[in-house]
Amino acid sequence: MYLKAIEINDLTVEYPEVKALDKVSFSINQGDFLGIIGPNGAGKSTLFSCMLGILTKYKGTIRFFGEDIRKSRNYLKLIGYVPQKPVFENNFPATVKEIVRMQLTNNSDRQLIDKVLQQVWMHELGNRRIGDLSIGQQQRVFIAKALVHNPKILILDEPVTGVDIQSSEIFYSILRDLNEKQNITIIWSSHDMDAVHKLANKVACLNRTLFFHGISAEFFENEDLVKQYSEASMQQHMHSHEIH
Amino acid sequence: MTLEILSYGFMQRAIISGIAIAILCSVVGLFMVLRRYSLFGDAIAHSSFGGIAVGMLVGIYPLWTAYAVSLVSALIITRIRYRLKISGDASVAVLLSSGIAIGLVLISISGGFTIDIFSFLFGSILLVSTNDTILILVLTGIILVVILLLYRQLLYSTFNEEQAKVSGIPVEKINYLIVFLAGVVVVTSIQLVGILLISALFVIPNITAIMYGKGFKQTALLSIGFAVFSVVVGILASYVLDITPSGTIVLVSLAIFGISIGIKSLGKLPITKSLKH
């Protein structure tokens, strides 16, 4: 059994005016709960775009369970993805169950859909139109959609942006269960350092380059490291604003 | 009276063809409306005008040249849109005006407007031949099978292109496919309502259905219901009242839309946000 779920080596992405990622290297073990933190413009979404095969113009390598993702897109079957705020027409006529069913390649299995909706506490709203739900409820539906094909890795890009505190807590509790009870590897980007501290066993601090990668406690319990990272982030943040 | 009308062969062909076209426009139109391509049907129809003019000029059955020109221009404009990142409404404007311009020039070369041209502009469902009816039924069958086979891919890429891509769906190919299907449906439907009113059949039953339907399948079935009702009532009423079928069909569908808005504003429908956008 290959234990390394993901290996990233010297990942570099250059846009015409800026280097979005510069020689980023780290690996993730199966069962890890990795929190990726970084300010706006740190390259978190670019990193995910590369991992998900949306962005293909990059240098370096990305391997999922040992396989280079440039060679085959089969690895996508192993991934569940929850975007920051899915863009869709608010009046899109699809029920919660229809949204979840989109992820299934073979014919829909009603029990499977009911099961994942139950996991995210949304089974009672299965026949509601997606646009009629709150943002927090919608994000839980998108977790259910990401889980229905039984992925080994769940990637979440700042999933609680715009979600109220109570819904965020429910969301975090669902993520914890998925990681601890089902051994799903979770990669989650967030601005919320406290939440990352509480949930993730590993942390990666990204700011175009990788500032730190390792055990979460080692980072958060080292005040100097947190301070250095915060200052570097602030400088980067101000620099980004100057560019824009 | 109604039963007597239905015994006429031309009326039977008109209603059978009309129902098939209504189903096609509803199903393909729903994907187009939700992708914000509502006017794309209109643009394809206008480009078919150029195709019809080509057919009349060179002596080929105009509908065949309309299929060829419309499909080629729809695919080219989609390609250009991807390459140059032109917005949807701008590409629609290019397609729409170029089709009409080419058509006008070719028609003036071939001797000006004739009755045939007017039947393509405003529809002539009561003149549909048995061969036309068979062609419409065969195309309806093929397009519905394609949609059923690729239902998940079409729905997913309509809902959210990025997520569909991440799930391994070839989104760009699916986008070309839906534009191609829309092209076939539009040209096939010209006989029913004509070039000038085609987008009404694509859009009105669907935006009415979106007000009521919770899920996609339910919305599609409601849209088919509204479209079929509009077509059948429109054809029969136009015959009885001796008025144009195409305009009557569109007015019936507009009446259903208007009644739905009225019911909604009276608070008898679950509040939908559809019309606010």
Side-chain angles (χ1 to χ4, degrees):
Chain A
M1 189 79 186
Y2 204 87
L3 284 179
K4 292 276 184 217
I6 302 169
E7 293 164 280
I8 294 173
N9 285 309
D10 287 337
L11 182 65
T12 301
V13 178
E14 287 182 73
Y15 294 128
E17 288 179 9
V18 70
K19 202 175 250 189
L21 292 173
D22 189 10
K23 292 190 175 172
V24 171
S25 299
F26 64 94
S27 62
I28 302 159
N29 293 328
Q30 231 178 307
D32 270 352
F33 193 136
L34 174 74
I36 299 179
I37 54 174
N40 286 334
K44 301 188 294 290
S45 295
T46 303
L47 172 66
F48 284 169
S49 294
C50 294
M51 290 164 76
L52 295 166
I54 298 167
L55 190 64
T56 52
K57 287 181 183 170
Y58 61 81
K59 290 175 191 163
T61 55
I62 303 173
R63 293 175 193 278
F64 275 70
F65 295 100
E67 290 285 321
D68 189 335
I69 65 168
R70 287 188 198 273
K71 291 181 182 162
S72 163
R73 289 179 69 83
N74 282 340
Y75 77 102
L76 290 172
K77 290 176 189 161
L78 305 171
I79 296 174
Y81 169 55
V82 181
Q84 187 176 19
K85 166 82 177 74
V87 179
F88 63 93
E89 288 290 315
N90 208 31
N91 65 334
F92 198 95
T95 62
V96 165
K97 284 184 180 175
E98 281 179 326
I99 298 291
V100 176
R101 195 176 291 133
M102 284 179 195
Q103 198 65 34
L104 290 171
T105 45
N106 48 8
N107 218 350
S108 59
D109 182 339
R110 279 186 191 175
Q111 284 183 331
L112 196 60
I113 292 166
D114 288 341
K115 192 182 142 198
V116 287
L117 284 175
Q118 210 142 17
Q119 270 183 293
V120 298
W121 310 352
M122 288 297 294
H123 52 289
E124 285 177 0
L125 301 177
N127 293 318
R128 288 274 290 273
R129 204 195 256 216
I130 185 74
D132 292 343
L133 304 180
S134 70
I135 296 174
Q137 288 171 327
Q138 285 177 5
Q139 283 299 62
R140 274 147 63 192
V141 174
F142 290 114
I143 285 209
K145 185 168 83 64
L147 290 174
V148 75
H149 65 296
N150 207 15
K152 291 190 186 314
I153 299 168
L154 194 56
I155 296 178
L156 305 104
D157 188 2
E158 298 182 24
V160 292
T161 304
V163 177
D164 61 77
I165 294 170
Q166 198 185 357
S167 299
S168 298
E169 289 301 326
I170 294 172
F171 198 85
Y172 293 149
S173 142
I174 291 166
L175 290 186
R176 190 184 288 118
D177 275 1
L178 291 171
N179 180 247
E180 289 175 359
K181 294 180 183 166
Q182 295 185 40
N183 200 34
I184 292 177
T185 306
I186 293 180
I187 303 160
W188 161 51
S189 75
S190 176
H191 284 295
D192 188 344
M193 302 232 311
D194 283 342
V196 172
H197 188 191
K198 281 181 200 160
L199 288 170
N201 71 323
K202 298 274 179 66
V203 66
C205 305
L206 193 65
N207 202 346
R208 299 192 181 168
T209 57
L210 197 62
F211 181 83
F212 175 88
H213 172 244
I215 294 167
S216 170
E218 280 178 13
F219 176 76
F220 287 107
E221 285 163 20
N222 186 333
E223 286 180 12
D224 289 340
L225 209 53
V226 173
K227 195 178 165 193
Q228 275 177 35
Y229 171 71
S230 302
E231 283 171 3
S233 298
M234 187 61 76
Q235 278 174 6
Q236 172 61 51
H237 187 64
M238 289 172 75
H239 180 61
S240 313
H241 276 274
E242 280 166 17
I243 288 174
H244 293 293
Chain B
M1 177 72 176
T2 308
L3 285 177
E4 192 190 327
I5 295 171
L6 292 175
S7 65
Y8 299 138
F10 71 88
M11 187 56 80
Q12 289 167 356
R13 288 193 297 275
I15 287 179
I16 291 169
S17 308
I19 290 173
I21 288 169
I23 294 169
L24 277 185
C25 284
S26 292
V27 175
V28 177
L30 184 55
F31 288 108
M32 299 298 276
V33 167
L34 292 171
R35 286 163 177 255
R36 290 181 177 251
Y37 282 7
S38 293
L39 281 176
F40 207 80
D42 214 22
I44 296 170
H46 282 71
S47 74
S48 74
F49 183 65
I52 286 164
V54 170
M56 291 183 135
L57 191 67
V58 296
I60 300 172
Y61 182 47
L63 222 47
W64 297 130
T65 45
Y67 275 117
V69 171
S70 303
L71 293 176
V72 169
S73 39
L75 294 175
I76 287 174
I77 208 77
T78 309
R79 180 83 179 149
I80 291 172
R81 200 179 146 200
Y82 268 117
R83 280 279 176 92
L84 303 180
K85 302 208 184 302
I86 296 174
S87 66
D89 58 344
S91 59
V92 162
V94 172
L95 190 56
L96 198 144
S97 50
S98 54
I100 289 286
I102 293 167
L104 285 174
V105 168
L106 291 179
I107 284 165
S108 66
I109 291 170
S110 66
F113 281 88
T114 62
I115 292 169
D116 285 346
I117 283 286
F118 281 106
S119 76
F120 286 116
L121 283 174
F122 300 107
S124 54
I125 192 70
L126 297 178
L127 301 178
V128 166
S129 67
T130 307
N131 283 345
D132 287 335
T133 308
I134 292 168
L135 175 70
I136 289 168
L137 290 177
V138 169
L139 285 174
T140 304
I142 292 170
I143 290 172
L144 290 182
V145 167
V146 171
I147 287 174
L148 284 175
L149 288 175
L150 295 171
Y151 174 73
R152 185 182 83 92
Q153 288 89 332
L154 284 164
L155 180 61
Y156 205 162
S157 54
T158 303
F159 179 70
N160 185 301
E161 283 197 3
E162 188 185 84
Q163 283 192 56
K165 247 183 223 171
V166 172
S167 300
I169 289 171
V171 170
E172 200 168 319
K173 285 180 188 163
I174 291 291
N175 287 348
Y176 277 109
L177 176 75
I178 194 73
V179 168
F180 181 83
L181 292 181
V184 175
V185 173
V186 166
V187 181
T188 308
S189 311
I190 283 173
Q191 295 171 90
L192 181 63
V193 289
I195 289 167
L196 297 178
L197 290 174
I198 192 68
S199 66
L201 266 195
F202 253 60
V203 176
I204 299 169
N206 281 314
I207 56 171
T208 311
I210 288 171
M211 282 194 272
Y212 294 90
K214 275 187 186 170
F216 190 85
K217 283 181 186 165
Q218 195 185 53
T219 306
L221 288 173
L222 280 169
S223 171
I224 289 171
F226 294 142
V228 168
F229 180 82
S230 306
V231 166
V232 174
V233 171
I235 290 173
L236 293 176
S238 69
Y239 184 78
V240 172
L241 302 171
D242 194 20
I243 49 179
T244 170
S246 56
T248 316
I249 290 168
V250 174
L251 284 179
V252 173
S253 68
L254 271 172
I256 300 170
F257 179 60
I259 291 166
S260 298
I261 293 174
I263 295 171
K264 190 199 156 201
S265 44
L266 286 173
K268 288 181 182 172
L269 272 177
I271 296 296
T272 62
K273 295 156 190 163
S274 53
L275 295 175
K276 292 177 188 169
H277 293 274

